[in-house]
Amino acid sequence: MNGAQAIIRSLEREGVSHIFGYPGAAIAPFYDRLSDSNIRHILVRHEQHAGHAAGGYARIAGSPGVCAVTSGPGATNLLTALATAYMDSVPVVAITGQVDSGLLGRDVFQEADITGAAEPFTKYSYLVKEAKDLPRIVKEAFHIAATGRPGPVLIDVPFDIQMTEAKFDFPKDAVIRGYRPTIRGHAGQIKRVIRALEQSEYPLICAGGGVFAAKAQDTLREFAESINIPVVSTLMGIGAIPTSHPLYMGQVGMHGKSTANDAISEADILILIGARVSDRAVLLPDKVKRRTKIIHIDIDPAEIGKNLDTFLPVVGDAKTVMEQVLSHSPARKSDEWVEFLTEKKASRRIDLSDRVNGVNPKRFVNELSKALPDDFIYCADVGQNQLWSAGNIDIRTGGRFLTTGGMGTMGYAIAAAAGARIASREMSDGRFTVAVCGDGAFQMSMMELATVVQHGIDVKVVVMVNGKLGLVREIQTDSYGDRQTAVDLSGSPDPVAIARAYGIAGDTVDTWERARDGMQKLIERKGPYLLAVRVDEAESSL
Amino acid sequence: MKHTIAVLVENKAGVLSRISGLFARRGFNIDSLAVGPTEDPLISRITIIVDGDDYMAEQVTKQLNKLIDVLKVRNLAENEITRRELALVKVNVDESKRGEIVDIAKIMGCEIVDISHTTLMIEFDDRPERVDLLIDLLSKYSIAEMARTGTIALQKGQESV
């Protein structure tokens, strides 16, 4: 069998059902053999979205998403999606075609040093030198992508290697001596956590995206409920426990709920679980440092102590470490601290008021999420729509909020939603999946409506239309004397007309009454649907 | 403060670029970097001297450890190691100065490995600060060209990375 077949056979062995991709000359042998396989190929309309779709797939499936593109521009177009997956710790395996190995370095047609270019954005990468190595490399790539702190792995395969005959020898296990992630927390550290918890009066949990990576949502809930510890989350951790849970105090950070930020500054112990406390997550690290002792539970030792001084580091898998702590049956804390925060939370309500112009987007997000089935998948793009979504979404048990918190890549939502929806279909009849974006991000991703139609992917799209790059406009208003520069989106097409051109039904709503009807139509509709929601350009993010 | 970090890595293509890329990306300042094979042909040893505070040294160690091709990382304490560096220095000489330079070489314990009508090449291996001293002494004359290997280090006694 040749190298191309060896890759496909290895992907089958890894249980891959879908590949998101875009073909080209340098990856033609791979595509030629792909038609012999049961693996379904989803043809996207831009390589970047192959990566986002694979990422969306991975976040719902809990196993790596796979994408394939050609050499040169195909591969460089994929870079942004790799960087997105890297920053958000999402397992993706990317296969890129490469020019003949004998021509490497000669700047031939469609040659790009993609392993070099992707180095800062991948957990690991391979430039394949021999066809016989392919099964081992694929095995290792999946192992590296999915274990430890998940992330993207790139396999760059020269054209001639895809064509070379070699023996297929698929290893049972990936043996990589320099890679052994720590799963169990150190027993001594666990005891110290118990002791610190015993002495604490105002403990607080900050949940990050690592809770999802460890599939630890249920354990987190049990952990918080049994010890009676309030929970805040980072942007990536939203939904780690239901937003309506009495112990949940909201999202922390620059764009977070002030109850959550208050909780952080009042807490005597802050337990970070799978959260890397980025610059956006912690408003005033100095304030936190002074008052609060930090217990940091993370599978990536390099994150501990990077952004905040840590009192007690625990390296390990979020789920395993929480279970270890729970096995010591830590005592339940009094209600006083929870009640204090609950009172604060109660004084801050979601803004449901009517708008003079257009629809109140915060109310829209809140009521839409409440009306959806509990196990919905909500993909928020980047910009004001992301903050309206993050701040006002209602998530019950089983619901997922997918967004790119680290990279903040515009144009993420539609492709990610397509991948997520496909993953959900493998596990059940499919979960209700909606992508919410602004009119800026929509125009970076609207070509993917064709992907959705071609492959019958039931994804709903909400476009918040305000004719501006709203978040940048807000920055200019607040910090640059409202001198609005290059944020006007005049000339943009009507999203509903665009949808119609792709054969997707849709509607525009500009009042609350119509928005409510539109929401109903969006929910009841079988198949893709686009709802354009008019929003006043002066609407604030928070 | 200078930290001596010993790194054992897989001996394969691309590893050095991953390591140097990491230093560039994260803004770590490398004073010197020396790479060579070990007794195991599949493993190379890299010795890195970085200048920075303890936070930086910890970050360097953790980020290096995160690289899949890195097998072991150890920040070596000054008092537990023997450090060496090799330098070749070519000095422009005329008859009147040759004697002085040969004296310096002798006192420092260097070897003169090449001589011509107008140059001397001096070989010196010693602790890095001794190499610095030699270069300082020679800088009074005219150094035509020089090459240093960068520091390598091993732990004393039975300890190993």
Side-chain angles (χ1 to χ4, degrees):
Chain A
M1 106 176 36
N2 68 19
Q5 285 170 298
I7 303 171
I8 291 158
R9 182 74 64 84
S10 305
L11 294 175
E12 288 168 346
R13 291 283 183 92
E14 283 296 321
V16 173
S17 61
H18 289 82
I19 293 177
F20 304 90
Y22 206 102
I27 196 154
F30 172 82
Y31 270 85
D32 177 52
R33 295 302 178 168
L34 188 58
S35 50
D36 300 332
S37 169
N38 288 330
I39 297 175
R40 244 189 104 191
H41 184 263
I42 305 292
L43 178 68
V44 294
R45 295 303 190 267
H46 185 291
E47 289 92 345
Q48 183 180 319
H49 298 131
H52 290 327
Y57 176 94
R59 290 173 78 170
I60 293 304
S63 58
V66 182
C67 53
V69 300
T70 193
S71 64
T76 54
N77 270 349
L78 182 65
L79 271 179
T80 301
L82 291 178
T84 305
Y86 187 70
M87 287 285 265
D88 290 341
S89 309
V90 174
V92 167
V93 173
I95 297 161
T96 50
Q98 181 56 278
V99 301
D100 260 5
S101 53
L103 296 174
L104 276 172
R106 297 202 200 171
D107 299 329
V108 297
F109 179 68
Q110 291 197 330
E111 178 182 356
D113 169 15
I114 198 62
T115 48
E119 218 278 308
F121 313 122
T122 43
K123 191 169 168 187
Y124 199 62
S125 60
Y126 296 87
L127 173 53
V128 184
K129 300 277 175 59
E130 290 192 69
K132 71 168 174 53
D133 294 338
L134 278 163
R136 173 185 58 82
I137 286 174
V138 172
K139 181 84 203 170
E140 287 181 3
F142 275 77
H143 178 64
I144 292 171
T147 56
R149 177 178 180 176
V153 177
L154 171 70
I155 307 175
D156 195 27
V157 196
F159 184 87
D160 56 316
I161 304 289
Q162 296 173 50
M163 301 289 280
T164 304
E165 294 290 322
K167 200 169 149 266
F168 182 80
D169 189 6
F170 194 72
K172 240 183 84 203
D173 299 299
V175 183
I176 309 163
R177 57 180 167 174
Y179 178 68
R180 266 170 307 212
T182 308
I183 304 299
R184 279 187 74 76
H186 186 276
Q189 294 299 83
I190 300 288
K191 281 196 191 120
R192 284 184 198 102
V193 171
I194 299 283
R195 214 171 307 140
L197 273 176
E198 274 167 8
Q199 287 161 7
S200 148
E201 280 181 79
Y202 313 110
L204 182 70
I205 293 168
C206 178
V211 172
F212 295 106
K215 304 181 178 87
Q217 295 99 302
D218 292 344
T219 315
L220 172 68
R221 189 171 173 167
E222 191 193 338
F223 188 88
E225 284 175 354
S226 67
I227 320 177
N228 201 26
I229 309 181
V231 180
V232 296
S233 75
T234 65
L235 179 64
M236 294 299 290
I238 289 180
I241 74 166
T243 56
S244 53
H245 195 287
L247 287 173
Y248 185 64
M249 300 300 160
Q251 182 205 338
V252 298
M254 187 192 274
H255 302 296
K257 285 255 191 302
S258 43
T259 316
N261 290 334
D262 288 350
I264 286 220
S265 39
E266 300 282 337
D268 59 358
I269 280 190
L270 176 62
I271 310 166
L272 299 167
I273 305 178
R276 64 191 178 89
V277 279
S278 76
D279 55 327
R280 295 274 156 140
V282 175
L283 266 179
L284 304 164
D286 289 339
K287 193 171 166 188
V288 171
K289 226 184 293 183
R290 264 204 317 276
R291 298 187 184 182
T292 318
K293 281 183 178 171
I294 303 216
I295 297 175
H296 198 162
I297 301 169
D298 206 294
I299 199 154
D300 180 0
E303 284 304 337
I304 296 176
K306 187 171 90 179
N307 296 330
L308 283 177
D309 276 348
T310 302
F311 164 68
L312 196 50
V314 188
V315 177
D317 169 80
K319 185 169 189 217
T320 310
V321 170
M322 280 192 281
E323 284 169 353
Q324 282 177 277
V325 173
L326 283 175
S327 72
H328 288 78
S329 317
R332 196 185 150 79
K333 295 282 161 195
S334 80
D335 285 328
E336 195 186 330
W337 164 232
V338 174
E339 278 164 8
F340 168 77
L341 291 175
T342 307
E343 215 167 282
K344 284 200 161 208
K345 187 170 76 167
S347 67
R348 298 192 174 91
R349 294 193 179 283
I350 286 171
D351 168 15
L352 297 176
S353 61
D354 252 345
R355 295 294 188 266
V356 181
N357 296 313
V359 175
N360 173 351
K362 295 154 193 166
R363 182 178 187 183
F364 181 87
V365 166
N366 186 255
E367 298 212 2
L368 172 68
S369 55
K370 279 183 173 153
L372 296 179
D374 284 356
D375 67 346
F376 69 77
I377 300 166
Y378 185 115
C379 299
D381 216 288
V382 169
Q384 282 190 305
N385 66 86
Q386 185 183 33
L387 304 178
W388 293 329
S389 295
N392 302 288
I393 192 168
D394 182 84
I395 305 178
R396 280 86 64 196
T397 304
R400 277 300 293 274
F401 176 69
L402 304 184
T403 193
T404 153
M407 201 66 187
T409 310
M410 280 176 74
Y412 173 76
I414 295 178
R421 166 73 190 173
I422 285 174
S424 80
R425 245 177 7 199
E426 285 177 355
M427 290 177 274
S428 63
D429 290 345
R431 291 157 63 175
F432 188 96
T433 306
V434 58
V436 176
C437 48
D439 40 0
F442 178 66
Q443 288 176 78
M444 287 195 188
S445 55
M446 61 192 192
M447 68 289 256
E448 296 310 324
L449 293 178
T451 309
V452 162
V453 171
Q454 181 180 13
H455 301 284
I457 308 167
D458 188 354
V459 165
K460 322 293 182 196
V461 178
V462 172
V463 187
M464 304 278 197
V465 180
N466 60 3
K468 296 269 168 170
L469 296 173
L471 197 56
V472 186
R473 191 278 307 156
E474 198 169 31
I475 292 168
Q476 292 179 349
T477 301
D478 294 345
S479 308
Y480 296 89
D482 200 26
R483 256 156 53 107
Q484 297 192 14
T485 312
V487 291
D488 178 59
L489 285 175
S490 296
S492 300
D494 170 11
V496 175
I498 291 286
R500 200 181 311 123
Y502 283 105
I504 296 175
D507 200 3
T508 300
V509 295
D510 53 6
T511 64
W512 182 248
E513 257 80 80
R514 298 204 53 206
R516 186 168 270 167
D517 291 347
M519 213 182 275
Q520 217 43 50
K521 251 189 267 174
L522 180 94
I523 293 168
E524 283 161 11
R525 180 94 189 182
K526 270 236 166 296
Y529 189 79
L530 184 142
L531 189 67
V533 180
R534 292 218 167 267
V535 176
D536 192 299
E537 63 174 60
E539 182 76 39
S540 69
S541 294
L542 297 180
Chain B
M1 184 189 160
K2 296 212 192 304
H3 298 266
T4 305
I5 297 173
V7 192
L8 297 182
V9 301
E10 298 278 359
N11 179 16
K12 57 186 184 193
V15 177
L16 194 57
S17 104
R18 287 193 164 110
I19 288 177
S20 56
L22 184 138
F23 276 75
R25 254 192 332 273
R26 301 214 176 248
F28 303 141
N29 291 319
I30 307 181
D31 270 19
S32 89
L33 185 148
V35 198
T38 64
E39 70 283 4
D40 178 346
L42 299 174
I43 296 177
S44 298
R45 184 179 177 115
I46 304 180
T47 310
I48 305 169
I49 313 294
V50 289
D51 197 4
D53 54 14
D54 288 349
Y55 168 82
M56 184 170 174
E58 190 188 327
Q59 279 298 308
V60 170
T61 311
K62 283 179 168 176
Q63 294 293 342
L64 282 170
N65 253 321
K66 217 170 131 167
L67 294 178
I68 301 212
D69 291 326
V70 168
L71 305 174
K72 274 183 181 174
V73 183
R74 178 112 181 225
N75 190 348
L76 302 169
E78 212 52 24
N79 55 5
E80 63 165 354
I81 53 172
T82 297
R83 296 174 298 132
R84 284 294 177 274
E85 185 171 358
L86 173 69
L88 291 173
V89 188
K90 192 190 289 176
V91 190
N92 294 318
V93 290
D94 54 37
E95 296 300 325
S96 65
K97 300 283 188 232
R98 181 170 286 140
E100 291 176 28
I101 295 171
V102 171
D103 277 350
I104 290 173
K106 243 187 226 163
I107 294 165
M108 293 292 291
C110 309
E111 217 173 310
I112 292 167
V113 290
D114 182 62
I115 184 163
S116 74
H117 288 293
T118 54
T119 62
L120 272 179
M121 194 195 295
I122 298 169
E123 177 194 315
F124 188 43
D125 74 281
D126 208 320
R127 298 196 311 276
E129 52 274 22
R130 292 262 301 160
V131 177
D132 288 342
L133 172 64
L134 173 74
I135 287 157
D136 182 46
L137 292 170
L138 293 176
S139 64
K140 200 178 132 197
Y141 308 94
S142 160
I143 296 177
E145 200 179 14
M146 60 176 276
R148 297 175 70 161
T149 56
T151 304
I152 54 170
L154 282 185
Q155 286 149 285
K156 297 173 190 166
Q158 290 195 324
E159 284 285 297
S160 67
V161 168

